[in-house]
Amino acid sequence: RAEEIVAARNIKRMLTGKLGSPVCSSPWFPGTEAHLLRSQIARITSTCTLSVSGWYEVDEEAGIKNKLKVAEGAAESFPSHEDLATQAGWKHSAPFLLSTGKTTWPDLEAYP
């Protein structure tokens, strides 16, 4: 949940290993240790998932925001080892988590 991801950004806590235990922290965390662990994994995944530059493209036909698909001809135009050794050869392939804990802003035009 988004509020758990927002709260997990402000918590520095060692996990006990008991996933059902409550999280006693300041600021308050709205869940158990399992929720905190899942929130931290979501934060790490959204930041650290990389793909080769040009391998994925946005899937406009899916109707889902942030949906990626493998680009046509991506395997044929795969970069060389020298290109992959540079930072420009890579891109983030997971959506960025916003300050709201979600990956997209709400569509305000859809509300009356």
Side-chain angles (χ1 to χ4, degrees), residues 54-60 66-72:
W55 187 261
Y56 290 109
E57 62 185 19
V58 177
D59 190 1
E60 307 269 336
N66 296 324
K67 178 75 174 164
L68 298 176
K69 67 177 181 178
V70 177
E72 293 182 19

Side-chain angles (χ1 to χ4, degrees), residues 29-111:
F29 183 77
T32 62
E33 196 165 289
H35 299 118
L36 176 61
L37 179 61
R38 178 63 189 111
S39 299
Q40 296 293 13
I41 290 171
R43 291 181 58 225
I44 293 168
T45 302
S46 83
T47 305
C48 297
T49 305
L50 298 176
S51 65
V52 175
S53 182
W55 187 261
Y56 290 109
E57 62 185 19
V58 177
D59 190 1
E60 307 269 336
E61 300 167 356
I64 301 171
K65 291 183 181 178
N66 296 324
K67 178 75 174 164
L68 298 176
K69 67 177 181 178
V70 177
E72 293 182 19
E76 292 81 23
S77 63
F78 197 80
S80 65
H81 290 92
E82 292 81 20
D83 293 336
L84 294 177
T86 64
Q87 188 174 0
W90 299 92
K91 287 189 176 181
H92 287 280
S93 58
F96 179 73
L97 288 174
L98 302 169
S99 61
T100 59
K102 298 181 180 184
T103 56
T104 58
W105 293 105
D107 187 13
L108 298 178
E109 295 175 0
Y111 294 106

Side-chain angles (χ1 to χ4, degrees), residues 6-12 23-30:
V6 171
R9 284 186 171 150
N10 299 320
I11 293 175
K12 293 181 183 177
V23 177
C24 299
S25 65
S26 179
W28 177 76
F29 183 77

